[in-house]
Amino acid sequence: MHAPLPEPIPVEMLLLAYRSGIFPMADRRDDPELFWVEPRERAIIPLDGLRISKSLRKALRQERFSVTIDKAFDEVIAACAAPRPGHPESWISMRIQASYRQLHEAGHAHSIECWREGELVGGLYGVSFDRVFCGESMFSREADASKVALCWLVALMRYAGFQLLDCQFMTDHLARLGALELPQGDYLERLATSRGSAQMSLPRAYQEILIDAQAHHSSPGKFIAQSLTQTS
């Protein structure tokens, strides 16, 4: 018989950790233990600095994927936790996954999904509080799927009045998308200035974008591509 999993991290404890600039990780998928991470350097993507390549702009404008929010949170986090080439183990343990499920139910964790012909082909998830979104992980089963999800996230954050998109650790992939690296002290200052309520929730911003796109006689993808290009 399998030993019962430890209790998920309480919602308030997780939120306190994120507001303090730290987050949990595990060594492997079935690890009942976890550790708290406070990076010396922190990656962020400025909401007016997302770099959109021609191919990504084309994917948005052509509506290559159908994009939703919070439609398949469990499936997205499971896909992010799945083994990948060169990374047989995931830091997203079953305990951490259960903890984010509780955050999601409390309205503080969201997923953005990309679909093609009814099949989930990419997406991302993260933690939302104040005017901050901490991106946790993303996955892609088709070219540009996770990047399209990121474009939607940035557009939603801008609509909702968010200020800070935290990407935790810098990678070459994030750098190509416009991410910047900050000392943890500078990140904490930005975190402090992003306190307070956003103008609306990300799911509400999603609905507002659909309404505004229709009012402009445009598809949502074209509407987002245009709005992001104007400030990128």
Side-chain angles (χ1 to χ4, degrees):
M1 294 179 64
H2 294 288
L5 285 174
E7 289 293 319
I9 307 165
V11 167
E12 290 306 318
M13 180 183 292
L14 260 180
L15 290 176
L16 177 61
Y18 276 94
R19 287 190 171 105
S20 302
I22 61 176
F23 52 87
M25 297 184 74
D27 284 325
R28 61 184 189 278
R29 185 78 169 132
D30 62 351
D31 194 346
E33 304 297 328
L34 54 84
F35 54 92
W36 297 95
V37 181
E38 184 178 18
R40 292 183 179 180
E41 302 290 330
R42 200 84 176 219
I44 69 165
I45 293 181
L47 296 182
D48 60 353
L50 181 65
R51 294 177 188 163
I52 304 176
S53 66
K54 290 183 179 179
S55 62
L56 179 54
R57 188 179 301 114
K58 184 176 181 181
L60 283 166
R61 293 179 62 85
Q62 290 181 341
E63 298 280 340
R64 191 172 300 167
F65 308 108
S66 175
V67 181
T68 56
I69 185 169
D70 291 342
K71 184 176 181 180
F73 184 86
D74 291 335
E75 290 88 340
V76 168
I77 195 170
C80 289
R84 306 183 189 188
H87 299 279
E89 289 291 348
S90 173
W91 64 267
I92 307 171
S93 66
M94 296 298 295
R95 183 185 181 189
I96 287 177
Q97 182 171 341
S99 302
Y100 287 113
R101 155 48 61 183
Q102 288 192 160
L103 266 186
H104 174 65
E105 292 173 352
H108 288 290
H110 300 285
S111 60
I112 296 178
E113 306 91 12
C114 288
W115 309 81
R116 182 192 284 274
E117 298 178 354
E119 181 181 353
L120 183 65
V121 295
L124 59 82
Y125 80 97
V127 176
S128 172
F129 59 92
D130 299 329
R131 289 175 287 173
V132 180
F133 188 89
C134 297
E136 290 296 308
S137 188
M138 59 175 59
F139 79 99
S140 188
R141 294 170 181 156
E142 290 193 13
D144 289 333
S146 62
K147 294 178 185 177
V148 167
L150 178 62
C151 288
W152 272 78
L153 173 63
V154 170
L156 293 175
M157 291 180 67
R158 288 170 47 170
Y159 249 68
F162 279 55
Q163 291 187 351
L164 180 60
L165 173 52
D166 168 32
C167 302
Q168 298 180 345
F169 300 109
M170 178 64 84
T171 65
D172 292 341
H173 175 67
L174 290 174
R176 287 191 292 270
L177 290 168
L180 305 175
E181 198 167 39
L182 301 176
Q184 179 73 349
D186 291 351
Y187 170 78
L188 291 175
E189 289 181 6
R190 295 203 183 198
L191 200 59
T193 60
S194 300
R195 293 285 173 86
S197 299
Q199 296 171 12
M200 65 183 76
S201 69
L202 295 180
R204 172 67 185 276
Y206 176 85
Q207 296 299 327
E208 291 295 322
I209 283 180
L210 298 185
I211 292 171
D212 283 356
Q214 186 176 30
H216 286 80
H217 306 287
S218 176
S219 69
K222 289 181 179 178
F223 187 71
I224 286 176
Q226 183 177 7
S227 66
L228 293 179
T229 302
Q230 289 172 348
T231 56
S232 297

